[in-house]
């Protein structure tokens, strides 16, 4: 049962806001990674690990923001958020890198796992165990 507050947005609008957040987190992660490489605090052979962390964190953040805006159907919203983010990544790859889709499968797996993390960690936003009196029935 979802508490009605009257502040939920439509599905397309919530997904668009989540996609904007995905993009902002991805860009921030890229800037931080570039700065770490520039100052030689991180070696260049660790870029793949940084990209994995960026993809998981960005997709998780976008899914959380989308669900908080839409306020219903958490699993479907998370999967649609992942699909939108992955589609945006494919479009950017096609435009900037001449459609060289190396590692597209691994990227899809990371994005889906990252967007499903909020669903797995906090299933309904409440504790799954109810605390109360245990009634013992007469025999």
């Amino acid at each position: 049962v979802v508490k009605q507050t009257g502040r939920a947005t439509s599905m397309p609008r919530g997904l668009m806001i989540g996609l904007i957040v995905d993009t902002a987190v991805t860009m921030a992660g890229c800037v931080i990674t570039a700065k770490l490489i520039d100052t030689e605090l991180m070696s260049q052979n660790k870029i793949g690990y940084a990209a994995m962390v960026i993809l998981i964190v960005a997709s998780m953040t976008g899914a959380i923001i989308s669900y908080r805006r839409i306020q219903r159907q958490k699993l479907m919203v998370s999967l649609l958020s992942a699909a939108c983010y992955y589609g945006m990544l494919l479009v950017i790859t096609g435009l900037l890198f001449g459609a060289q889709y190396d590692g597209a499968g691994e990227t899809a797996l990371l994005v889906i796992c990252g967007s499903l993390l909020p669903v797995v960690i906090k299933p309904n936003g409440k504790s799954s165990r109810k605390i109360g009196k245990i009634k013992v029935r007469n025999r």
Side-chain angles (χ1 to χ4, degrees):
V1 177
V2 177
K3 183 178 176 182
Q4 296 291 330
T5 61
R7 296 187 176 205
T9 61
S10 66
M11 188 80 72
R13 186 174 186 172
L15 290 172
M16 184 57 72
I17 292 170
L19 186 61
I20 291 169
V21 170
D22 282 334
T23 307
V25 171
T26 302
M27 292 302 144
C30 291
V31 167
I32 291 170
T33 303
K35 187 63 177 172
L36 288 174
I37 291 172
D38 185 46
T39 58
E40 297 179 0
L41 293 173
M42 186 171 86
S43 62
Q44 289 184 0
N45 56 0
K46 306 274 194 249
I47 291 176
Y49 298 114
M52 286 191 280
V53 170
I54 290 168
L55 288 172
I56 289 174
V57 170
S59 62
M60 183 175 68
T61 308
I64 289 171
I65 296 297
S66 292
Y67 175 70
R68 286 192 180 166
R69 297 296 293 203
I70 297 170
Q71 298 180 355
R72 60 184 180 275
Q73 299 177 343
K74 193 170 193 176
L75 178 63
M76 188 176 76
V77 168
S78 296
L79 289 174
L80 285 173
S81 175
C84 291
Y85 181 50
Y86 184 65
M88 184 206 57
L89 290 174
L90 288 178
V91 167
I92 289 173
T93 301
L95 290 173
L96 297 179
F97 301 109
Q100 294 179 354
Y101 297 112
D102 297 333
E106 293 86 358
T107 301
L109 186 63
L110 288 168
V111 168
I112 290 171
C113 289
S115 68
L116 289 179
L117 274 177
V119 176
V120 174
I121 291 173
K122 211 171 187 183
N124 292 329
K126 299 177 187 173
S127 175
S128 60
R129 181 174 175 232
K130 293 188 177 188
I131 300 172
K133 285 186 175 181
I134 299 173
K135 294 183 181 180
V136 179
R137 300 190 182 252
N138 295 334
R139 295 179 199 170

